[in-house]
Amino acid sequence: MDAPQTLPPAATADVDDLAGLTPHQIVAELDKYIVGQDDAKRSVAIALRNRWRRLHADPALRDEITPANIILIGPTGVGKTEIARRLAKLTGAPFVKVEATKFTEVGYVGRDVESMIRDLVDLAVAQARDAQVERVQEPAKAQAEERLLDLLLPPSKPRVPAGLGFPMSTTAPEPEAPTEEDDLRQRTREKFRDRLRAGSLDDREVEIDVSLDRTTNLQMFGPMGLEEMGINLQEMLGGMGKKRQKRRVKVPEALELLAQEEAQKLIDGEAAKAEALLRVEQAGIVFVDEIDKVAGRQQAGGGSGPDVSREGVQRDLLPIVEGSTVMTKHGSVKTDHILFIASGAFHVSKPSDLIPELQGRFPIRVELQSLSEADFVQILTAPENALLKQYGALFGSEGVTLTFTDDAVRAIAQTAAQVNEEVENIGARRLHTILTTLLEDLLFEVPDGPHGDVIEITAADVEDKLAGVVKNRDLSQYIL
């Protein structure tokens, strides 16, 4: 048996942030954005806390503790994707959402399942580089300021000592004492620095050299892409694609562009890659949506053989979820401790239609409930990103305050629940279509029409605008 791996500090950076977050606190954070679905929130909160527990467990058993992957079962629009996305945002962990239907079995045209890990690593590397850039902002701004001052006040030419320009002596020449001209130039430079920081030079233009990345985005298809062979075509062409171009820009923009260039010089790309690989292995989250679409359907009379487009994807997905090593352009990644959260409506198929090996790798199954009228009322008003708050912000940009009476909110919720029940249940997404239909005329007319500073939507307004649409089943299918 291999010796237990000792994780460097960088590997535990993400999950250490959860040291003060108990499952109750994690659920409380999710409650700010997601209404209901308490069972699903509890399951993901426990899974998240278990990551912190594993990294602080006995080193002899640390590598043996694998994550308990989760299947979220429920109709569309009830919060499955939002739970996973908010969970990743809460931890700062690398997170990628993929759709199972986009993958095909190896040997067929389409994306192979390992591409989800490569996408996760690309995202983690970008996050690590952004974090490094953030840490070097101060020195980068200082260097950019010096470069900008050189443009505003070019330095004097170096003075050549009297006599030969290239003395034969191998001893280093004595440094020249600063002259009165040097002192004057330095004082002038400091005055320019003060004016630059005060913003009095913002209207001036300077000419700077900026790099242009003209590399073409290339994507390879086939059973074995360039990434698996350790070849990154974009990096090979990077030197050919980057050129310098002179631009005349205002001083603030020049300072920002120069600071970006200086920050890129200060960061350590290899360290960012190493940190990203560790973060993916120890804290990565992959959300596999529509997994029910690749589940084999039971057919009457025993059915036929395995469906390549479904069972083949499951068998290719199995080693990734079980734990394997995936080669990426940034290095190899072990998937043993990546948390996989799958979701699906399972209207036609059921979780037991997945191949037994894959079922065993998703031991936790949580059924999400359909949203009720009371849930819709909460979704409209309670979350920090509630829909009514979003529309209020849109009207606020026009200088108009949009308000809804309590009766109007209940009428909207009742309409959403009714249409979901009679037409098709698309969950909270129904609220988007209803609010768009309800406010369409106002959104069109407010910029030009005199509507006053406050617009109040009442239950009567909701009834007048939506009653005819809801009663006409064919029309409601088309509009709502």
Side-chain angles (χ1 to χ4, degrees), residues 193-437:
R193 188 190 308 276
D194 294 338
R195 294 178 61 190
L196 176 64
R197 293 176 177 176
S200 59
L201 300 178
D202 287 354
D203 292 333
R204 292 189 60 171
E205 288 189 348
V206 293
E207 188 177 79
I208 61 172
D209 279 341
V210 294
S211 62
L212 296 178
D213 190 357
R214 302 176 63 183
T215 305
T216 303
N217 291 325
L218 299 177
Q219 186 174 4
M220 302 299 296
F221 294 95
M224 189 175 190
L226 291 178
E227 289 179 325
E228 288 82 349
M229 295 185 289
I231 300 174
N232 183 4
L233 192 57
Q234 286 193 354
E235 290 183 358
M236 292 171 59
L237 299 177
M240 299 170 56
K242 290 183 178 179
K243 294 185 178 181
R244 309 286 296 183
Q245 182 185 41
K246 291 186 179 296
R247 289 181 57 191
R248 289 196 64 85
V249 295
K250 294 289 183 66
V251 164
E253 184 179 355
L255 190 60
E256 182 179 350
L257 292 173
L258 293 175
Q260 291 175 2
E261 282 196 359
E262 292 300 323
Q264 294 301 319
K265 296 177 184 177
L266 294 173
I267 65 175
D268 186 342
E270 292 304 316
K273 288 182 181 181
E275 179 184 349
L277 293 176
L278 288 171
R279 293 178 68 222
V280 167
E281 290 183 344
Q282 305 301 327
I285 300 175
V286 176
F287 183 79
V288 185
D289 200 6
E290 296 185 352
I291 197 169
D292 57 316
K293 302 299 191 299
V294 298
R297 298 185 180 94
Q298 298 292 337
Q299 300 183 12
S304 57
D307 188 339
V308 168
S309 64
R310 291 193 176 95
E311 188 168 331
V313 174
Q314 294 183 57
R315 296 199 177 277
D316 285 347
L317 183 61
L318 181 61
I320 304 296
V321 180
E322 280 184 331
S324 60
T325 300
V326 177
M327 295 302 300
T328 74
K329 63 185 178 184
H330 303 292
S332 61
V333 174
K334 293 182 178 180
T335 65
D336 301 66
H337 300 292
I338 293 177
L339 177 63
F340 289 87
I341 302 176
S343 78
F346 289 99
H347 289 314
V348 178
S349 59
K350 50 186 181 295
S352 59
D353 291 334
L354 297 169
I355 60 175
E357 299 90 340
L358 193 60
Q359 291 183 49
R361 291 298 170 179
F362 287 90
I364 300 178
R365 300 177 187 178
V366 184
E367 187 170 353
L368 283 78
Q369 304 301 317
S370 297
L371 298 174
S372 65
E373 181 180 331
D375 291 330
F376 285 138
V377 172
Q378 281 191 282
I379 291 171
L380 286 169
T381 57
E384 294 188 1
N385 61 339
L387 279 175
L388 298 189
K389 297 177 184 177
Q390 295 179 27
Y391 276 98
L394 291 177
F395 278 86
S397 65
E398 303 277 4
V400 175
T401 300
L402 180 68
T403 63
F404 292 80
T405 65
D406 292 341
D407 289 341
V409 174
R410 285 192 292 270
I412 294 171
Q414 181 180 5
T415 302
Q418 179 183 346
V419 177
N420 271 351
E421 182 178 350
E422 295 179 355
V423 180
E424 186 175 356
N425 187 0
I426 61 172
R429 294 187 177 93
R430 183 70 65 190
L431 294 173
H432 285 276
T433 61
I434 287 177
L435 284 172
T436 300
T437 304

Side-chain angles (χ1 to χ4, degrees), residues 103-109 111-114 222-224 308 312-313 316:
F103 302 107
T104 59
E105 187 176 7
V106 170
Y108 292 81
V109 176
R111 301 197 74 187
D112 61 281
V113 294
E114 290 186 353
M224 189 175 190
V308 168
V313 174
D316 285 347

Side-chain angles (χ1 to χ4, degrees), residues 61-81:
L61 292 175
R62 185 180 295 157
D63 285 348
E64 305 299 326
I65 303 173
T66 57
N69 299 317
I70 304 169
I71 289 185
L72 302 178
I73 304 168
T76 183
V78 297
K80 300 187 298 293
T81 304

